[in-house]
Amino acid sequence: MYQKIIAEQQAILNKLNKQKTILSWTRLVLLIAAIYSFYLMLYNRDGIYGFYALILFVVFLVIVNIYIKKQEKVIYHQTLKKINEDEIAFLDGKFNFDEGKEFLNPQHAFSYDLDLFGRNSIFQFLNRTGTSLGKNKLAASLQEIPTSETISLKQKAVEELSSKTQFRQHFQTLAAIANTTDKENNAIKNWTETQTAKPNKIFSILAIIFPLLLLISIIGSFFDLHPVFDKLTIFVFSLNLFAVGAFTKFILQEIGKGDKIAFSLQQYAKMIRFFNENEFESAYLKQIQEKLKNENVNANEALTELSNIFEKLNTVANLFIFIAFNGTFQYHFWVYKKLQNWKEKNLAFLWDSVSIIGEIEALNSLANFAYNNQEYVYPTITNDKIQFEELGHPLLSKSKRVRNSIDFTNQQFVILTGSNMSGKSTYLRTVGINLVLSYVGAPIDCKSAQVFPLPLWVSMRLTDSLSDSESFFFAEVKRLKQIVTEAEKQQIFVLLDEILKGTNSDDKKSGTVGVIEKLHHLNVLGMIATHDLEVCETTYKYPQSMSNMCFEVEIIDNELHFDYKLKDGVCQNKNATFIMKKMGII
């Protein structure tokens, strides 16, 4: 499908580029002809050549306008082509999408430990957003714990969008062309939070009186009623310019607040209009459309109108327009007046409408993920079960991926053992990342799954902090304290990897057992990976709610062999000494 779209877009681009070449030469010929006709008018002192020059120049402007529209089409189809080229590259294992490094947060309950952001992360795997609105929303949704109802609604929305390839790619193309950053969006938000300056009413009076006087003087001059009208025309024209000149400070203040947001608003208007033009079956997408509706306001029309107003205000820097338009009827005053009226009517509606674009983009990214992985399954959302059958890690190659089943229905807590490199940490991340994907409404790589949205806490990638004079051990203890405190408030799901590494073996063993028993008494669900086999004896105290599971390794023909299959019981094999001997260390 991606190859087919690329071929279609290339054919369209070839045709458009030929048309652009013809238009480019045509406008050049017309401009030269217009200039030459103007020269003939001056040389021959014949007004007919001036008429020809005017006609040629008007046609030239029309051709320029057509050329600009063709260029916009070229940009659109180039972008759409690139989107599909990027998807093919992605399926070949090349991640060309934004990795979201700015969202890295070591203090978050699970995102940092599960590597949700950064190079080759799940965020980069999912991200198909073009605006910072979408990027921020996708990042936020990956770090939230929604309600069961919200997850179910999102699943239906993602499933529906995954089947609407044309919709997704058109919306993604508009977003990519918009290519907004936090700077543009902050400018829009800041503008909504500031009041438009209201100038003295005298400006409104002068904006009516002076243009009216100019009209009277022009009529008097045209009918040659009195010589004074000629001088009056020039005088009133100058008064109009003077009045707008005095008013320009208000316009410049408003342009400064807007920070050239016209283009961003135009693209957002296109995206909202396109979204509203489509009919959806899922309740969640219908709810989004309802948010964009208001008894008195149409979101895309309002945004289009606002972007046009800003574009007109920005022409205050164009000397020709400033003199010609303001000298006659104080053009920029009335544009500013229109902006005031727009703000009074639509201001409260603006940022909410713009923000919704981010939600649509985030869903679009998840739907694209679902389309690329059509064999994946949407987990069943329950009230009390977390269970995965043949669960795989989405970032590992499908051909090499080993899938394992785990069920937390009867076993509340799992102690996971295994030799070095056997797959313990990877499996903890497999469970964690698939829980995150389940929470955002995406399908996951499994045969079947049941999930309910428990708050997720992970301790896997803690580091010491020299700036805070904080040791690795203290960082671990702080995270465990956070987990226990949260578990005392509500039921949670935890993933712990070799905790208390920063202390001696006896302390580590007794401390780990103490943590496990504390979490058990607090009714916490989850897993802990450990090398301390004595810790596994804890399950003997709580056989109804705890179990041991492991990954084994075999040494065959003096080589290590990992099958990465999860088994019941405690790990029996070790490989650290074998590896060091094989590498000549000991």
Side-chain angles (χ1 to χ4, degrees):
M1 190 274 290
Y2 294 134
Q3 291 283 15
K4 179 183 176 183
I5 294 175
I6 289 171
E8 290 172 350
Q9 297 311 305
Q10 187 58 58
I12 293 170
L13 285 167
N14 292 340
K15 184 177 179 181
L16 285 171
N17 284 324
K18 287 179 182 177
Q19 294 173 348
K20 272 183 61 186
T21 301
I22 294 170
L23 288 169
S24 185
W25 282 105
T26 302
R27 66 180 182 176
L28 179 61
V29 170
L30 287 168
L31 182 60
I32 292 171
I35 294 171
Y36 183 64
S37 296
F38 185 73
Y39 163 76
L40 290 176
M41 180 193 74
L42 296 176
Y43 185 79
N44 296 319
R45 296 185 179 181
D46 188 343
I48 190 65
Y49 290 110
F51 177 74
Y52 294 155
L54 178 62
I55 295 298
L56 287 167
F57 188 71
V58 169
V59 176
F60 165 78
L61 292 177
V62 171
I63 296 299
V64 167
N65 190 50
I66 295 172
Y67 181 88
I68 291 171
K69 289 181 179 179
K70 291 289 181 186
Q71 180 60 27
E72 289 175 352
K73 287 185 177 181
V74 167
I75 292 171
Y76 174 86
H77 291 287
Q78 283 177 339
T79 306
L80 181 53
K81 180 187 173 191
K82 186 177 185 303
I83 283 172
N84 287 274
E85 289 172 340
D86 286 343
E87 288 300 330
I88 289 176
F90 169 77
L91 294 174
D92 288 337
K94 299 174 184 176
F95 286 21
N96 298 321
F97 304 104
D98 192 307
E99 58 196 65
K101 286 193 295 185
E102 64 269 39
F103 303 113
L104 288 169
N105 177 15
Q107 306 307 316
H108 191 267
F110 57 84
S111 68
Y112 188 75
D113 297 77
L114 293 178
D115 297 322
L116 295 190
F117 305 103
R119 187 68 182 162
N120 295 331
S121 64
I122 194 65
F123 179 82
Q124 191 177 34
F125 199 79
L126 295 171
N127 183 27
R128 298 298 184 273
T129 63
T131 73
S132 67
L133 292 169
K135 181 180 173 182
N136 293 336
K137 182 60 183 178
L138 179 61
S141 64
L142 288 171
Q143 299 176 84
E144 294 171 348
I145 310 296
T147 63
S148 297
E149 181 183 6
T150 299
I151 296 173
S152 297
L153 288 170
K154 281 191 172 184
Q155 283 183 341
K156 295 297 182 184
V158 171
E159 187 174 12
E160 181 176 2
L161 287 175
S162 68
S163 66
K164 294 179 177 289
T165 304
Q166 189 174 0
F167 169 87
R168 285 189 289 102
Q169 294 214 338
H170 179 63
F171 197 88
Q172 187 180 345
T173 301
L174 293 177
I177 292 171
N179 192 29
T180 57
T181 64
D182 286 338
K183 180 181 178 182
E184 287 87 6
N185 292 319
N186 287 336
I188 295 173
K189 189 174 183 181
N190 291 337
W191 185 77
T192 65
E193 294 171 351
T194 58
Q195 294 294 321
T196 300
K198 292 187 177 181
N200 196 297
K201 288 185 178 180
I202 190 67
F203 285 106
S204 298
I205 296 170
L206 295 178
I208 296 172
I209 293 175
F210 285 171
L212 188 59
L213 286 174
L214 181 65
L215 178 63
I216 293 170
S217 64
I218 290 172
I219 293 171
S221 181
F222 181 80
F223 288 105
D224 200 19
L225 298 179
H226 194 281
V228 74
F229 284 110
D230 293 336
K231 295 180 180 180
L232 184 63
T233 299
I234 297 172
F235 177 70
V236 177
F237 187 89
S238 300
L239 286 178
N240 276 328
L241 286 176
F242 178 79
V244 176
F247 184 78
T248 301
K249 65 176 182 179
F250 296 104
I251 297 173
L252 294 177
Q253 285 175 3
E254 207 60 36
I255 292 174
K257 292 176 191 174
D259 196 24
K260 299 181 180 179
I261 62 176
F263 178 75
S264 301
L265 290 170
Q266 281 181 328
Q267 289 303 117
Y268 289 163
K270 289 178 184 178
M271 295 166 76
I272 289 175
R273 179 167 60 249
F274 174 67
F275 178 73
N276 278 337
E277 287 171 351
N278 282 266
E279 291 186 5
F280 300 102
E281 295 180 6
S282 62
Y284 197 73
L285 293 172
K286 287 181 178 179
Q287 286 175 13
I288 294 175
Q289 284 184 325
E290 285 299 317
K291 291 178 184 176
L292 291 168
K293 294 177 183 178
N294 185 291
E295 292 182 1
N296 303 312
V297 181
N298 180 300
N300 53 276
E301 288 180 3
L303 286 174
T304 301
E305 182 185 7
L306 180 60
S307 67
N308 290 336
I309 292 172
F310 268 110
E311 277 196 341
K312 291 172 182 176
L313 274 184
N314 282 325
T315 60
V316 73
N318 186 309
L319 189 61
F320 174 78
I321 293 177
F322 186 89
I323 294 174
F325 285 36
N326 290 320
T328 50
F329 62 97
Q330 298 194 28
Y331 170 75
H332 284 104
F333 171 84
W334 294 110
V335 174
Y336 185 88
K337 193 76 175 175
K338 193 173 183 180
L339 179 65
Q340 279 187 309
N341 294 336
W342 189 99
K343 211 167 186 179
E344 289 176 4
K345 181 181 178 183
N346 304 309
L347 189 57
F349 190 62
L350 175 61
W351 183 246
D352 290 340
S353 301
V354 169
S355 299
I356 287 172
I357 290 171
E359 178 73 27
I360 303 167
E361 275 203 276
L363 290 172
N364 229 17
S365 291
L366 299 173
N368 189 82
F369 170 76
Y371 179 83
N372 283 341
N373 300 280
Q374 296 180 26
E375 72 279 15
Y376 283 14
V377 174
Y378 291 91
T380 301
I381 308 304
T382 70
N383 294 320
D384 56 0
K385 292 182 180 179
I386 294 181
Q387 172 267 330
F388 300 104
E389 184 178 0
E390 295 183 20
L391 183 69
H393 195 305
L395 299 185
L396 298 178
S397 169
K398 291 184 180 181
S399 60
K400 298 178 180 179
R401 195 178 301 171
V402 177
R403 295 165 178 81
N404 289 289
S405 302
I406 193 163
D407 189 345
F408 294 93
T409 304
N410 296 318
Q411 53 185 16
Q412 176 182 325
F413 207 83
V414 174
I415 299 177
L416 183 64
T417 53
S419 59
N420 295 294
M421 304 184 298
S422 62
K424 299 188 304 299
S425 298
T426 298
Y427 192 64
L428 290 181
R429 286 195 172 90
T430 300
V431 173
I433 286 174
N434 280 288
L435 277 174
V436 170
L437 288 173
S438 300
Y439 292 169
V440 295
I444 60 175
D445 181 19
C446 67
K447 186 176 180 180
S448 67
Q450 297 183 79
V451 169
F452 75 106
L454 281 179
L456 178 61
W457 282 83
V458 183
S459 180
M460 295 182 70
R461 288 193 60 209
L462 295 173
T463 59
D464 55 356
S465 176
L466 295 176
S467 60
D468 296 332
S469 299
E470 184 178 274
S471 69
F472 184 89
F473 173 74
F474 190 65
E476 281 193 295
V477 172
K478 278 177 63 178
R479 173 48 66 98
L480 292 173
K481 172 61 176 174
Q482 286 179 305
I483 291 172
V484 169
T485 300
E486 194 63 29
E488 289 172 343
K489 299 176 185 175
Q490 59 184 329
Q491 189 177 28
I492 64 174
F493 189 95
V494 302
L495 296 168
L496 309 175
D497 189 16
E498 204 66 42
I499 62 171
L500 304 177
K501 293 185 285 289
T503 187
N504 65 65
S505 57
D506 286 336
D507 261 357
K508 178 184 175 185
K509 181 188 69 176
S510 59
T512 301
V513 171
V515 169
I516 292 173
E517 292 193 333
K518 177 72 172 180
L519 295 177
H520 174 265
H521 293 312
L522 291 172
N523 196 33
V524 169
L525 270 64
M527 302 177 73
I528 183 170
T530 181
H531 284 290
D532 293 320
L533 302 186
E534 293 179 26
V535 171
C536 299
E537 296 174 4
T538 312
T539 60
Y540 304 151
K541 295 182 183 180
Y542 313 102
Q544 300 301 318
S545 55
M546 280 193 196
S547 65
N548 292 307
M549 304 191 81
C550 66
F551 289 104
E552 290 286 13
V553 60
E554 291 183 285
I555 301 175
I556 303 175
D557 296 331
N558 204 35
E559 294 291 339
L560 292 173
H561 289 268
F562 300 96
D563 63 6
Y564 304 112
K565 296 299 292 184
L566 190 62
K567 302 174 178 66
D568 291 326
V570 180
C571 171
Q572 300 300 313
N573 298 323
K574 302 174 183 179
N575 65 7
T577 303
F578 172 82
I579 293 171
M580 287 191 289
K581 284 182 177 179
K582 194 169 180 63
M583 294 182 69
I585 298 173
I586 58 175

